[in-house]
Amino acid sequence: MNTSRRGLSFYLLGAFFALFVLFLYGPTATILILSFQGPEGGLTFPMNGVSLHWFRNLFEQQAVGDFGGSFRRSIALGLMVMVLTVLFSVLAGFAFRRRFRGSGALFYLAVASLIVPSILVSLGIGLFFNILGLEPAWYSSALGAHLTWTLPFGLLIVFAIFNRFNPAYEEAARDLGATPWQTVRHVVLPILLPSLIGVGLFGFTLSYDEFARTLMTAGSFNTLPLEIYGMTTNVTTPVLYALGSLTTVFSFSVIGLALLGLILLRRHRLRRSGI
Amino acid sequence: MTLTAETSRPSVTAAAGRARRPRPLPRIAPYLQAAPLTVALLLFLLVPILTIVAVSFWDYDSVRIYPDFVLTNYTELLTSPVTWKTYLNTLKYAALTWAITLGIGFTVAYFLAFHVRSTTWQMVLFLVCTIPFWTSNIIRMISWIPFLGRNGLLNSGLISAGIIDQPLEFLLFSDFSVVLAFVHLYALFMVVPIFNSMMRIDRALIEAARDGGASAAQTLWNVILPLTKPGIAIGSIFVVTLVMGDFITVRLMSGGQSASIGLMIANEISLLQYPAAAANAVVLLAVVLIMVVAMLRVVDIRKEL
């Protein structure tokens, strides 16, 4: 407990925490190191020289699949999912601040969306398109499949945001004669903006990494996770690790850029408010 | 406007403010605002699930599927010993993963919430835990291969330390590696909600327990654990439903030697036996829903938001 002296339990729990972090990061660090294997190196240690061979190999024409195309599709899909997730969940968040008929049912539908196994969403949308005679594609059926995963998360985050939101700001805006739209545009949205960046980031990364929901819905062109999955069954060289390292670095850059954006935004606001 | 002062409920505030607003929002506004979410979920969740239910009664042969009403998909599924064995195996994965992630999640969250004192450090360490979540699941799975393989880090380490003579074969492509990967992928889903619940516990209660003469263990058992139940329930729902429906982890980490319901469905899909896959999916959905409803009896999650 929060006694002034740290007891044995603190150090035991601290050690447990350190082991947990090692468990989380250890394997990923291993493939990061192994992706720099020499040209003769294999999938395991020891390192057989150090080189960028497998990264170069990745960008050459692959025997299997289309790495560049699937990467571009994943980014485009992630961006679409991001925009729709922010838009839909914020709108719904506004709706849930007031009473409306069916709000309970909609809430449970959103929660159900989180617990329905991904393979079912994949199968259901695949069959639905099949019966309608539509061709599944990454920008239609896969987009919908990803939204069933990102929208409930987005909605839950928006709920949390509105719970902390002080309605006094809106009251003040109304008292000064602002129309509802002006209140939202000039008061509510600027206050929510940092959290909305968080929702968008969440939506993008969830979609960028989604595999099971894309399986039956991507149509004839793969997204990156499908491509990686294909490689796990075919490829037995460290080029797989190079791809893993590269996509991991990309994920982290996206998060880093978003965090940087948040910091700049905050600094900009502080400067504007003259502090 | 005393009503506004007394309560912070946004809906009541909006109702109270309606009278003096220059241009009140029309009654229809919340319906318009909720419409995109509703349409997306109806179109891509509810309708597809209804499609699965419908197709589970259809007939099929090796070429195509036929609209019909037959129960053979269900009778074949439920009378096959393979189904029952696969369900048992999947439940075993779910139970093991649940127990291990709960142990880890509770301990990690307890350390962060009650033993790390400064809020800054709490947030930093919490972020450290969440970062691996941003990496692709498949990448995180394959990253175990150089670690657990026959010539992997663990085996060569144990051999050079003189603990074993032969590489341990059970490390990779086994139930062990499947559960290990599940724990690796989903421990965070347990840490976050439990940490969230723990952070909401009023610290005065802990003080009161200590002043009342409770030991740290008694406080943990009688105060913290009961108040953390909602977080535990939410984490458990996540972990159990993710494991029950999984097929990719089982296929990759067992090397195709173990089965799960999700994998069974995925295999039926790849063989184009859609009605059989649909019947299997309906049964899986029913089982998952029963498990979730049982867990929700412990906690009202709407109160947690």
Side-chain angles (χ1 to χ4, degrees), chain B residues 190-225:
Chain B
M190 205 56 116
V191 173
V192 173
I194 296 181
F195 176 69
N196 196 18
S197 285
M198 282 181 175
M199 291 303 280
R200 290 168 179 218
I201 297 177
D202 187 347
R203 294 304 188 263
L205 293 174
I206 315 280
E207 299 254 337
R210 202 167 53 228
D211 291 347
S215 69
Q218 283 172 322
T219 312
L220 181 64
W221 187 255
N222 296 315
V223 180
I224 297 175
L225 187 65

mmCIF file of all heavy atoms in Angstrom, chain B residues 190-225:
data_model
loop_
_atom_site.group_PDB
_atom_site.id
_atom_site.type_symbol
_atom_site.label_atom_id
_atom_site.label_comp_id
_atom_site.label_asym_id
_atom_site.label_seq_id
_atom_site.Cartn_x
_atom_site.Cartn_y
_atom_site.Cartn_z
ATOM 1 N N MET B 190 -7.096 -7.771 -20.598
ATOM 2 C CA MET B 190 -7.421 -7.976 -19.194
ATOM 3 C C MET B 190 -6.830 -6.849 -18.339
ATOM 4 O O MET B 190 -7.485 -6.355 -17.421
ATOM 5 C CB MET B 190 -6.847 -9.329 -18.763
ATOM 6 C CG MET B 190 -7.509 -9.993 -17.616
ATOM 7 S SD MET B 190 -9.259 -10.264 -17.808
ATOM 8 C CE MET B 190 -9.334 -12.039 -17.805
ATOM 9 N N VAL B 191 -5.602 -6.418 -18.670
ATOM 10 C CA VAL B 191 -4.941 -5.379 -17.876
ATOM 11 C C VAL B 191 -5.746 -4.078 -17.911
ATOM 12 O O VAL B 191 -6.028 -3.490 -16.863
ATOM 13 C CB VAL B 191 -3.503 -5.118 -18.395
ATOM 14 C CG1 VAL B 191 -2.891 -3.929 -17.680
ATOM 15 C CG2 VAL B 191 -2.625 -6.348 -18.219
ATOM 16 N N VAL B 192 -6.154 -3.648 -19.115
ATOM 17 C CA VAL B 192 -6.760 -2.318 -19.256
ATOM 18 C C VAL B 192 -8.045 -2.167 -18.446
ATOM 19 O O VAL B 192 -8.152 -1.244 -17.635
ATOM 20 C CB VAL B 192 -6.964 -1.959 -20.746
ATOM 21 C CG1 VAL B 192 -7.739 -0.669 -20.894
ATOM 22 C CG2 VAL B 192 -5.619 -1.856 -21.441
ATOM 23 N N PRO B 193 -9.057 -3.060 -18.616
ATOM 24 C CA PRO B 193 -10.279 -2.841 -17.821
ATOM 25 C C PRO B 193 -10.069 -2.994 -16.319
ATOM 26 O O PRO B 193 -10.704 -2.268 -15.537
ATOM 27 C CB PRO B 193 -11.256 -3.895 -18.340
ATOM 28 C CG PRO B 193 -10.545 -4.725 -19.311
ATOM 29 C CD PRO B 193 -9.204 -4.157 -19.575
ATOM 30 N N ILE B 194 -9.189 -3.903 -15.904
ATOM 31 C CA ILE B 194 -8.966 -4.068 -14.459
ATOM 32 C C ILE B 194 -8.275 -2.827 -13.899
ATOM 33 O O ILE B 194 -8.656 -2.302 -12.844
ATOM 34 C CB ILE B 194 -8.145 -5.352 -14.167
ATOM 35 C CG1 ILE B 194 -8.932 -6.589 -14.584
ATOM 36 C CG2 ILE B 194 -7.802 -5.439 -12.684
ATOM 37 C CD1 ILE B 194 -8.231 -7.891 -14.332
ATOM 38 N N PHE B 195 -7.276 -2.314 -14.640
ATOM 39 C CA PHE B 195 -6.584 -1.094 -14.215
ATOM 40 C C PHE B 195 -7.588 0.062 -14.118
ATOM 41 O O PHE B 195 -7.590 0.821 -13.143
ATOM 42 C CB PHE B 195 -5.476 -0.775 -15.224
ATOM 43 C CG PHE B 195 -4.732 0.510 -14.961
ATOM 44 C CD1 PHE B 195 -3.893 0.614 -13.864
ATOM 45 C CD2 PHE B 195 -4.870 1.606 -15.797
ATOM 46 C CE1 PHE B 195 -3.194 1.798 -13.618
ATOM 47 C CE2 PHE B 195 -4.181 2.782 -15.564
ATOM 48 C CZ PHE B 195 -3.349 2.876 -14.468
ATOM 49 N N ASN B 196 -8.459 0.145 -15.112
ATOM 50 C CA ASN B 196 -9.486 1.182 -15.146
ATOM 51 C C ASN B 196 -10.382 1.114 -13.908
ATOM 52 O O ASN B 196 -10.645 2.122 -13.251
ATOM 53 C CB ASN B 196 -10.300 0.982 -16.425
ATOM 54 C CG ASN B 196 -11.118 2.195 -16.776
ATOM 55 O OD1 ASN B 196 -10.840 3.281 -16.282
ATOM 56 N ND2 ASN B 196 -12.118 2.011 -17.595
ATOM 57 N N SER B 197 -10.835 -0.102 -13.563
ATOM 58 C CA SER B 197 -11.677 -0.268 -12.364
ATOM 59 C C SER B 197 -10.913 0.117 -11.106
ATOM 60 O O SER B 197 -11.459 0.765 -10.210
ATOM 61 C CB SER B 197 -12.131 -1.718 -12.223
ATOM 62 O OG SER B 197 -13.132 -2.010 -13.132
ATOM 63 N N MET B 198 -9.652 -0.303 -11.030
ATOM 64 C CA MET B 198 -8.857 -0.044 -9.819
ATOM 65 C C MET B 198 -8.623 1.442 -9.619
ATOM 66 O O MET B 198 -8.614 1.936 -8.492
ATOM 67 C CB MET B 198 -7.522 -0.773 -9.897
ATOM 68 C CG MET B 198 -7.620 -2.254 -9.589
ATOM 69 S SD MET B 198 -5.998 -3.020 -9.666
ATOM 70 C CE MET B 198 -6.411 -4.682 -9.130
ATOM 71 N N MET B 199 -8.443 2.172 -10.737
ATOM 72 C CA MET B 199 -8.176 3.597 -10.612
ATOM 73 C C MET B 199 -9.397 4.365 -10.118
ATOM 74 O O MET B 199 -9.278 5.483 -9.636
ATOM 75 C CB MET B 199 -7.737 4.172 -11.972
ATOM 76 C CG MET B 199 -6.383 3.700 -12.436
ATOM 77 S SD MET B 199 -5.069 4.041 -11.266
ATOM 78 C CE MET B 199 -4.758 5.762 -11.627
ATOM 79 N N ARG B 200 -10.588 3.759 -10.259
ATOM 80 C CA ARG B 200 -11.792 4.443 -9.797
ATOM 81 C C ARG B 200 -12.073 4.196 -8.324
ATOM 82 O O ARG B 200 -12.975 4.797 -7.757
ATOM 83 C CB ARG B 200 -13.008 3.938 -10.565
ATOM 84 C CG ARG B 200 -13.029 4.353 -12.002
ATOM 85 C CD ARG B 200 -14.089 3.545 -12.684
ATOM 86 N NE ARG B 200 -14.182 3.913 -14.074
ATOM 87 C CZ ARG B 200 -15.336 3.995 -14.718
ATOM 88 N NH1 ARG B 200 -16.461 3.743 -14.096
ATOM 89 N NH2 ARG B 200 -15.343 4.308 -15.979
ATOM 90 N N ILE B 201 -11.342 3.246 -7.721
ATOM 91 C CA ILE B 201 -11.592 2.947 -6.314
ATOM 92 C C ILE B 201 -11.177 4.146 -5.466
ATOM 93 O O ILE B 201 -10.060 4.661 -5.609
ATOM 94 C CB ILE B 201 -10.808 1.688 -5.870
ATOM 95 C CG1 ILE B 201 -11.296 0.473 -6.647
ATOM 96 C CG2 ILE B 201 -10.964 1.459 -4.371
ATOM 97 C CD1 ILE B 201 -10.537 -0.796 -6.347
ATOM 98 N N ASP B 202 -12.075 4.585 -4.615
ATOM 99 C CA ASP B 202 -11.798 5.714 -3.734
ATOM 100 C C ASP B 202 -10.685 5.314 -2.754
ATOM 101 O O ASP B 202 -10.829 4.352 -2.007
ATOM 102 C CB ASP B 202 -13.088 6.075 -2.978
ATOM 103 C CG ASP B 202 -12.927 7.353 -2.171
ATOM 104 O OD1 ASP B 202 -11.780 7.807 -2.006
ATOM 105 O OD2 ASP B 202 -13.957 7.870 -1.702
ATOM 106 N N ARG B 203 -9.574 6.065 -2.795
ATOM 107 C CA ARG B 203 -8.425 5.706 -1.957
ATOM 108 C C ARG B 203 -8.763 5.771 -0.467
ATOM 109 O O ARG B 203 -8.108 5.148 0.363
ATOM 110 C CB ARG B 203 -7.229 6.595 -2.280
ATOM 111 C CG ARG B 203 -6.672 6.386 -3.691
ATOM 112 C CD ARG B 203 -6.312 4.922 -3.883
ATOM 113 N NE ARG B 203 -5.596 4.655 -5.125
ATOM 114 C CZ ARG B 203 -6.167 4.233 -6.240
ATOM 115 N NH1 ARG B 203 -7.472 4.053 -6.298
ATOM 116 N NH2 ARG B 203 -5.455 3.982 -7.313
ATOM 117 N N ALA B 204 -9.824 6.555 -0.101
ATOM 118 C CA ALA B 204 -10.215 6.646 1.306
ATOM 119 C C ALA B 204 -10.652 5.281 1.836
ATOM 120 O O ALA B 204 -10.483 4.984 3.026
ATOM 121 C CB ALA B 204 -11.348 7.660 1.461
ATOM 122 N N LEU B 205 -11.210 4.441 0.942
ATOM 123 C CA LEU B 205 -11.642 3.114 1.379
ATOM 124 C C LEU B 205 -10.457 2.271 1.824
ATOM 125 O O LEU B 205 -10.536 1.501 2.773
ATOM 126 C CB LEU B 205 -12.381 2.400 0.245
ATOM 127 C CG LEU B 205 -13.719 3.004 -0.171
ATOM 128 C CD1 LEU B 205 -14.268 2.287 -1.396
ATOM 129 C CD2 LEU B 205 -14.706 2.913 0.978
ATOM 130 N N ILE B 206 -9.340 2.415 1.096
ATOM 131 C CA ILE B 206 -8.136 1.660 1.436
ATOM 132 C C ILE B 206 -7.612 2.134 2.799
ATOM 133 O O ILE B 206 -7.261 1.327 3.660
ATOM 134 C CB ILE B 206 -7.035 1.873 0.359
ATOM 135 C CG1 ILE B 206 -7.618 1.758 -1.033
ATOM 136 C CG2 ILE B 206 -5.867 0.946 0.586
ATOM 137 C CD1 ILE B 206 -7.843 0.392 -1.550
ATOM 138 N N GLU B 207 -7.606 3.465 2.958
ATOM 139 C CA GLU B 207 -7.173 4.045 4.242
ATOM 140 C C GLU B 207 -8.036 3.501 5.366
ATOM 141 O O GLU B 207 -7.543 3.105 6.424
ATOM 142 C CB GLU B 207 -7.341 5.567 4.196
ATOM 143 C CG GLU B 207 -6.528 6.250 3.128
ATOM 144 C CD GLU B 207 -5.348 6.985 3.719
ATOM 145 O OE1 GLU B 207 -5.411 7.319 4.914
ATOM 146 O OE2 GLU B 207 -4.371 7.196 2.992
ATOM 147 N N ALA B 208 -9.358 3.531 5.121
ATOM 148 C CA ALA B 208 -10.292 3.083 6.152
ATOM 149 C C ALA B 208 -10.013 1.632 6.526
ATOM 150 O O ALA B 208 -10.024 1.263 7.707
ATOM 151 C CB ALA B 208 -11.727 3.243 5.668
ATOM 152 N N ALA B 209 -9.752 0.795 5.508
ATOM 153 C CA ALA B 209 -9.475 -0.615 5.790
ATOM 154 C C ALA B 209 -8.233 -0.746 6.653
ATOM 155 O O ALA B 209 -8.188 -1.519 7.610
ATOM 156 C CB ALA B 209 -9.303 -1.381 4.479
ATOM 157 N N ARG B 210 -7.205 0.074 6.303
ATOM 158 C CA ARG B 210 -5.966 -0.013 7.067
ATOM 159 C C ARG B 210 -6.191 0.488 8.495
ATOM 160 O O ARG B 210 -5.734 -0.126 9.459
ATOM 161 C CB ARG B 210 -4.861 0.783 6.388
ATOM 162 C CG ARG B 210 -3.485 0.315 6.812
ATOM 163 C CD ARG B 210 -2.366 0.853 5.954
ATOM 164 N NE ARG B 210 -2.410 2.301 5.840
ATOM 165 C CZ ARG B 210 -2.300 2.940 4.675
ATOM 166 N NH1 ARG B 210 -2.169 2.264 3.573
ATOM 167 N NH2 ARG B 210 -2.325 4.245 4.648
ATOM 168 N N ASP B 211 -6.914 1.610 8.618
ATOM 169 C CA ASP B 211 -7.193 2.130 9.962
ATOM 170 C C ASP B 211 -8.008 1.128 10.767
ATOM 171 O O ASP B 211 -7.882 1.053 11.990
ATOM 172 C CB ASP B 211 -7.967 3.452 9.871
ATOM 173 C CG ASP B 211 -7.087 4.549 9.302
ATOM 174 O OD1 ASP B 211 -5.859 4.319 9.234
ATOM 175 O OD2 ASP B 211 -7.616 5.607 8.919
ATOM 176 N N GLY B 212 -8.840 0.373 10.083
ATOM 177 C CA GLY B 212 -9.633 -0.648 10.761
ATOM 178 C C GLY B 212 -8.827 -1.866 11.144
ATOM 179 O O GLY B 212 -9.363 -2.816 11.704
ATOM 180 N N GLY B 213 -7.548 -1.878 10.768
ATOM 181 C CA GLY B 213 -6.676 -2.973 11.189
ATOM 182 C C GLY B 213 -6.533 -4.089 10.167
ATOM 183 O O GLY B 213 -6.019 -5.163 10.499
ATOM 184 N N ALA B 214 -6.979 -3.858 8.927
ATOM 185 C CA ALA B 214 -6.846 -4.915 7.921
ATOM 186 C C ALA B 214 -5.402 -4.993 7.428
ATOM 187 O O ALA B 214 -4.746 -3.970 7.261
ATOM 188 C CB ALA B 214 -7.781 -4.627 6.750
ATOM 189 N N SER B 215 -4.935 -6.206 7.178
ATOM 190 C CA SER B 215 -3.617 -6.373 6.588
ATOM 191 C C SER B 215 -3.729 -6.087 5.093
ATOM 192 O O SER B 215 -4.840 -5.964 4.551
ATOM 193 C CB SER B 215 -3.121 -7.793 6.810
ATOM 194 O OG SER B 215 -3.890 -8.683 6.035
ATOM 195 N N ALA B 216 -2.585 -5.968 4.419
ATOM 196 C CA ALA B 216 -2.601 -5.687 2.979
ATOM 197 C C ALA B 216 -3.381 -6.765 2.244
ATOM 198 O O ALA B 216 -4.167 -6.476 1.340
ATOM 199 C CB ALA B 216 -1.167 -5.614 2.459
ATOM 200 N N ALA B 217 -3.187 -8.042 2.645
ATOM 201 C CA ALA B 217 -3.879 -9.137 1.978
ATOM 202 C C ALA B 217 -5.383 -9.064 2.206
ATOM 203 O O ALA B 217 -6.175 -9.293 1.291
ATOM 204 C CB ALA B 217 -3.338 -10.475 2.478
ATOM 205 N N GLN B 218 -5.777 -8.696 3.438
ATOM 206 C CA GLN B 218 -7.215 -8.582 3.743
ATOM 207 C C GLN B 218 -7.847 -7.448 2.942
ATOM 208 O O GLN B 218 -8.955 -7.577 2.430
ATOM 209 C CB GLN B 218 -7.425 -8.346 5.243
ATOM 210 C CG GLN B 218 -7.264 -9.611 6.064
ATOM 211 C CD GLN B 218 -7.285 -9.323 7.558
ATOM 212 O OE1 GLN B 218 -6.746 -8.310 8.000
ATOM 213 N NE2 GLN B 218 -7.884 -10.213 8.314
ATOM 214 N N THR B 219 -7.120 -6.330 2.830
ATOM 215 C CA THR B 219 -7.623 -5.205 2.034
ATOM 216 C C THR B 219 -7.804 -5.638 0.585
ATOM 217 O O THR B 219 -8.824 -5.355 -0.040
ATOM 218 C CB THR B 219 -6.626 -4.033 2.085
ATOM 219 O OG1 THR B 219 -6.250 -3.815 3.437
ATOM 220 C CG2 THR B 219 -7.232 -2.783 1.502
ATOM 221 N N LEU B 220 -6.802 -6.355 0.083
ATOM 222 C CA LEU B 220 -6.847 -6.816 -1.297
ATOM 223 C C LEU B 220 -8.075 -7.690 -1.533
ATOM 224 O O LEU B 220 -8.808 -7.525 -2.501
ATOM 225 C CB LEU B 220 -5.562 -7.592 -1.611
ATOM 226 C CG LEU B 220 -5.410 -8.141 -3.022
ATOM 227 C CD1 LEU B 220 -5.339 -7.002 -4.012
ATOM 228 C CD2 LEU B 220 -4.158 -8.998 -3.132
ATOM 229 N N TRP B 221 -8.313 -8.626 -0.607
ATOM 230 C CA TRP B 221 -9.368 -9.614 -0.784
ATOM 231 C C TRP B 221 -10.756 -9.036 -0.531
ATOM 232 O O TRP B 221 -11.696 -9.344 -1.264
ATOM 233 C CB TRP B 221 -9.094 -10.811 0.137
ATOM 234 C CG TRP B 221 -10.047 -11.943 -0.102
ATOM 235 C CD1 TRP B 221 -11.089 -12.313 0.675
ATOM 236 C CD2 TRP B 221 -10.034 -12.851 -1.212
ATOM 237 N NE1 TRP B 221 -11.736 -13.376 0.116
ATOM 238 C CE2 TRP B 221 -11.111 -13.742 -1.044
ATOM 239 C CE3 TRP B 221 -9.204 -12.984 -2.341
ATOM 240 C CZ2 TRP B 221 -11.393 -14.749 -1.948
ATOM 241 C CZ3 TRP B 221 -9.499 -14.008 -3.252
ATOM 242 C CH2 TRP B 221 -10.574 -14.873 -3.045
ATOM 243 N N ASN B 222 -10.882 -8.207 0.504
ATOM 244 C CA ASN B 222 -12.211 -7.756 0.923
ATOM 245 C C ASN B 222 -12.614 -6.397 0.385
ATOM 246 O O ASN B 222 -13.782 -6.058 0.395
ATOM 247 C CB ASN B 222 -12.294 -7.711 2.450
ATOM 248 C CG ASN B 222 -12.146 -9.084 3.062
ATOM 249 O OD1 ASN B 222 -12.746 -10.040 2.598
ATOM 250 N ND2 ASN B 222 -11.315 -9.185 4.094
ATOM 251 N N VAL B 223 -11.648 -5.591 -0.066
ATOM 252 C CA VAL B 223 -11.989 -4.262 -0.561
ATOM 253 C C VAL B 223 -11.714 -4.154 -2.057
ATOM 254 O O VAL B 223 -12.604 -3.879 -2.850
ATOM 255 C CB VAL B 223 -11.217 -3.159 0.203
ATOM 256 C CG1 VAL B 223 -11.601 -1.784 -0.332
ATOM 257 C CG2 VAL B 223 -11.480 -3.256 1.690
ATOM 258 N N ILE B 224 -10.457 -4.404 -2.434
ATOM 259 C CA ILE B 224 -10.067 -4.150 -3.824
ATOM 260 C C ILE B 224 -10.707 -5.154 -4.784
ATOM 261 O O ILE B 224 -11.287 -4.767 -5.796
ATOM 262 C CB ILE B 224 -8.530 -4.161 -3.956
ATOM 263 C CG1 ILE B 224 -7.956 -3.019 -3.123
ATOM 264 C CG2 ILE B 224 -8.107 -4.022 -5.401
ATOM 265 C CD1 ILE B 224 -6.457 -2.983 -3.077
ATOM 266 N N LEU B 225 -10.639 -6.436 -4.430
ATOM 267 C CA LEU B 225 -11.164 -7.455 -5.353
ATOM 268 C C LEU B 225 -12.643 -7.246 -5.672
ATOM 269 O O LEU B 225 -13.016 -7.220 -6.849
ATOM 270 C CB LEU B 225 -10.900 -8.858 -4.794
ATOM 271 C CG LEU B 225 -11.239 -9.999 -5.743
ATOM 272 C CD1 LEU B 225 -10.347 -9.971 -6.974
ATOM 273 C CD2 LEU B 225 -11.098 -11.352 -5.051
#
